[in-house]
Amino acid sequence: MLTKIHGNKPLQMAAGLGIGFLFGFLLQKGNVTEYDVIIGQLLFQDFTVIKIMVTAIVTGMIGVHLLRDLGLAQLHPKPGSLGMTLVGGLIFGVGFAVVGYCPGTITAAVAQGKLDALIGGLVGILIGAGLYAHAFPWVARVMLPKGDFGPLTFPEFFKMNHWRIIIPLAVILISLLAVLEGAGL
Amino acid sequence: MFELLAMTEWSPYVVGLGIGLVSCAAFVLSDKPIGCSTAFVRTSGMLEEMYRGRQVREMPYYRQFLPEIDWEWMLVLGIVFGSFTSAALSGELHLEWVPSRWAAAFGGNPVWRLLTALIGGIFLGFGARWAGGCTSGHGISGTLQLAVSGWLAVCTFFAAGAAVAFLLYGG
């Protein structure tokens, strides 16, 4: 039944829209459409972003692996390499601090009326992404293959059952949240 | 129920729980992880195609990421509607040129803020496609799948972001 749903294009477009709607609603309710909140996180003064992301990761990690064990979901880990993930991540991080939004939160910020997000940041992302499409042949030949590890996951890397990683990791992440709350952050 | 939807802010733990559950729904209903940045490169391709015509589709990158509306593009469109609805319900729809924290540090002139946001945006778009994902695709979807790429990406995003934020705001 699920494969039938996955193959229905109009239904999938509607599902994408609906999932995006909920995601955007939550981002706005979480206040991460605010430049001040994102910069506050990068300066370690406001931990809203970390709290949201860590809770989402713990929930999603348990949920998706449970669904996978039940045969209701499949994993789609992205490939990576040092030349791709680390170098691209550094460029992204610079932009993250300078614009004070990321591609998802900027979209939500635009919808709320943030003009620096629309006229500045969103236009910039479109230019940057378009420039990358032109730079891609060189990047793909020279940079992306460096230190390639492919679509590797930690359970594959450690050759362990995924729950032996998920449970301790969930404990560590929840403890981190408890420490933040305990410190009054 | 309405009062809940009209709140200006929900606990970050409620929001995080919600995003985790929405991620699960995306896997089950669409067999796809949540992500945002490919929608931007597809849009760039569509815009470039309006000027340069169909040769744009011959570029190697646009052969991988067709300049067309797809599931993830619809997801990003959904973010616009969702955030708009949330802000409308809580009375937070305001036009704002300069965020208050920026204004306090660098002044209220919108020109400087827009220029900086533009430059930051270029790095963000370029870096997201170079890394193969953003704070959603790597930071949430990658990490929850226990992907090495997701964890490395999110740590790098925040490490580089924090370093530059401290430079900008002088610690």
Side-chain angles (χ1 to χ4, degrees), chain B residues 106-168:
Chain B
F106 307 108
N109 187 342
V111 175
W112 293 121
R113 172 56 192 153
L114 291 186
L115 268 178
T116 319
L118 182 77
I119 294 164
I122 293 172
F123 276 86
L124 202 64
F126 196 87
R129 290 328 308 152
W130 186 314
C134 63
T135 337
S136 316
H138 274 315
I140 295 173
S141 302
T143 50
L144 70 81
Q145 294 182 78
L146 301 173
V148 175
S149 58
W151 284 94
L152 177 62
V154 77
C155 293
T156 316
F157 293 167
F158 279 88
V164 174
F166 275 97
L167 279 176
L168 283 174

Side-chain angles (χ1 to χ4, degrees), chain B residues 4-68:
Chain B
L4 192 70
L5 297 177
M7 285 168 75
T8 56
E9 192 179 340
W10 285 356
S11 152
Y13 305 114
V14 172
V15 172
L17 189 76
I19 292 174
L21 295 176
V22 170
S23 294
C24 293
F27 273 94
V28 175
L29 295 175
S30 299
D31 192 27
K32 284 192 168 68
I34 283 178
C36 292
S37 66
T38 66
F40 289 91
V41 80
R42 288 182 204 275
T43 307
S44 298
M46 288 184 241
L47 293 172
E48 197 178 337
E49 200 182 357
M50 279 160 58
Y51 286 96
R52 295 211 304 128
R54 292 194 67 87
Q55 55 169 321
V56 169
R57 287 174 181 256
E58 300 302 315
M59 287 166 61
Y61 201 65
Y62 289 126
R63 275 191 226 153
Q64 263 184 52
F65 296 96
L66 291 176
E68 286 170 2

